[in-house]
Amino acid sequence: MKNAVVGVLHLIAVDYFDKYLSSINKQSYRDFKLFIFGHKIKPENIKYLFEKYDDLDIKYKELDYNLSLSRSRQKVLDYLKEEKYDTCIFTDTDDFYHKDYVKNIFKNLSDKTYDIVFTDLSIFFSKENRIDDYFKKCGIPDEINLEYIIDKNCIGLGHSGINLDVYEKNRYIFPDELIAVDWWLFSVLMAVYNCKAFFIQKSLVYYRQHDCNTAGFLNLDEKKILRGVKVKVLHYKNLAKFGKIYKKNYKCFNELYEKINHEEEFRKKYVEYVYSKYKNRMYLWWEYAKPYKIDKEGNKKYE
């Protein structure tokens, strides 16, 4: 089998890239090629790191500077299909990894029972401040299906892998406007191929928490809550072709988004509601962005 480990290197991740490469270099399973795709990066600024870890089998490729975040991920997968790789394990270049991360992902992909596999995370603030087994503490089951991730996500492009049999080059164009690219991708794969994902209940990824995380956990505030609503508008809009539930959710969240942006009092109440419900609890990605309903008396009620 041809096994690929992939990471997209962007400007924010450069400061963490040495630690990332060091963790990949220490992997207990070595039968893979590491692909680093640079997005808006000057190669000369990172060349010394590739020389430092020259015992890693690394291939570096530049992505088109003008590509969106979403389309850059499509180009990565398209390239691996062209090169006839069998498996792809995703990594985030601002995170770092347990030595058995690659081993566990490939082991569970190779038996072909599941075409999507993901691990648990250690939410990493600092050496002294981290939360291990985050998803396990959230109660995620061993097996995830499409229904489970309709209103929230737990499979990211930094702690998962796929059998590339379930990805067809250019079958679906990744929409440029997406924010939660991972959520959209895994939803499409599950919808099209009726596949499920297996959850490895081990914290094998140290998921850094910093100001530039697209999603992140904890530290809930108004900006994050409102961004969550926008994420869901774009997510459901671009999944509408895959089922009525997505059309329904798009209509609901689009209306909510419009109200938030045009009714100040409503926005305040909505933010207060979400914050009060989630400020002292753990949540999955985008879970806190909740819809609302209007009862027979015309009062707004949140789900």
Side-chain angles (χ1 to χ4, degrees):
M1 293 179 70
K2 291 181 67 176
N3 304 316
V5 174
V6 303
V8 175
L9 182 62
H10 46 85
L11 290 172
I12 296 164
V14 169
D15 289 342
Y16 308 109
F17 193 46
D18 191 351
K19 178 72 172 177
Y20 163 83
L21 285 176
S22 176
S23 70
I24 300 300
N25 192 44
K26 295 173 183 174
Q27 291 300 302
S28 59
Y29 180 82
R30 304 285 292 190
D31 185 18
F32 64 87
K33 191 177 190 71
L34 175 61
F35 290 90
I36 299 297
F37 293 84
H39 194 204
K40 304 180 181 180
I41 295 290
K42 294 181 179 179
E44 58 267 24
N45 293 340
I46 55 171
K47 182 180 178 182
Y48 76 97
L49 288 174
F50 293 137
E51 294 172 349
K52 180 178 178 180
Y53 299 102
D54 61 355
D55 51 338
L56 270 175
D57 185 7
I58 304 177
K59 186 175 183 64
Y60 180 76
K61 290 188 66 66
E62 276 291 313
L63 292 166
D64 188 321
Y65 188 88
N66 295 314
L67 281 176
S68 65
L69 174 68
S70 176
R71 292 299 296 277
S72 69
R73 270 52 179 180
Q74 180 173 0
K75 289 295 183 182
V76 168
L77 289 169
D78 287 350
Y79 177 79
L80 295 180
K81 287 292 287 190
E82 290 170 3
E83 295 297 310
K84 302 187 185 304
Y85 274 83
D86 299 297
T87 61
C88 168
I89 183 166
F90 300 106
T91 61
D92 276 336
T93 53
D94 53 350
D95 295 335
F96 58 103
Y97 293 82
H98 186 280
K99 66 180 180 63
D100 293 327
Y101 171 67
V102 172
K103 176 182 177 181
N104 275 270
I105 294 284
F106 281 138
K107 177 183 176 182
N108 284 279
L109 287 175
S110 62
D111 67 12
K112 296 290 186 176
T113 302
Y114 294 93
D115 290 310
I116 303 171
V117 174
F118 66 106
T119 76
D120 211 331
L121 302 174
S122 287
I123 311 302
F124 186 85
F125 297 93
S126 67
K127 288 183 179 179
E128 297 76 27
N129 184 12
R130 78 185 200 206
I131 304 172
D132 294 329
D133 303 321
Y134 184 85
F135 285 146
K136 184 177 180 180
K137 291 172 180 173
C138 289
I140 292 183
D142 290 342
E143 183 180 273
I144 301 298
N145 59 19
L146 181 60
E147 183 179 1
Y148 189 87
I149 62 169
I150 281 179
D151 64 347
K152 56 190 176 294
N153 187 34
C154 57
I155 315 174
L157 292 177
H159 66 120
S160 61
I162 63 172
N163 283 314
L164 284 164
D165 289 344
V166 297
Y167 179 79
E168 295 179 53
K169 182 181 175 183
N170 292 326
R171 179 169 183 177
Y172 299 105
I173 303 300
F174 287 44
D176 285 312
E177 63 184 349
L178 288 175
I179 297 174
V181 183
D182 48 9
W183 192 16
W184 181 87
L185 171 63
F186 290 115
S187 297
V188 169
L189 294 180
M190 289 183 177
V192 173
Y193 296 99
N194 194 32
C195 57
K196 298 176 182 179
F198 178 67
F199 174 43
I200 300 172
Q201 294 192 20
K202 297 179 182 178
S203 293
L204 300 175
V205 181
Y206 297 93
Y207 177 42
R208 288 188 191 274
Q209 299 299 286
H210 52 72
D211 292 340
C212 296
N213 280 124
T214 299
F217 293 113
L218 310 178
N219 301 322
L220 198 61
D221 58 17
E222 178 174 335
K223 181 179 179 181
K224 191 168 184 176
I225 291 168
L226 299 183
R227 181 175 173 81
V229 175
K230 183 177 181 180
V231 163
K232 285 192 168 179
V233 171
L234 298 176
H235 181 68
Y236 295 132
K237 173 185 175 183
N238 288 287
L239 287 173
K241 69 176 77 172
F242 294 102
K244 293 181 180 179
I245 184 64
Y246 296 114
K247 292 180 181 179
K248 177 182 177 181
N249 285 353
Y250 170 61
K251 181 179 180 181
C252 174
F253 276 92
N254 194 48
E255 180 182 344
L256 174 60
Y257 187 70
E258 290 298 315
K259 283 185 170 292
I260 283 173
N261 282 280
H262 293 97
E263 298 181 22
E264 184 175 354
E265 188 61 29
F266 173 79
R267 182 176 68 250
K268 289 180 180 178
K269 289 182 178 179
Y270 179 78
V271 170
E272 288 172 0
Y273 161 76
V274 173
Y275 184 75
S276 66
K277 187 170 183 178
Y278 286 95
K279 65 178 179 179
N280 294 319
R281 56 180 281 196
M282 296 188 294
Y283 49 80
L284 303 186
W285 286 306
W286 318 117
E287 181 179 7
Y288 52 81
K290 309 300 291 184
Y292 77 97
K293 296 179 179 179
I294 298 177
D295 63 20
K296 294 180 180 179
E297 287 73 37
N299 300 312
K300 301 178 182 66
K301 290 193 172 182
Y302 304 97
E303 293 186 351

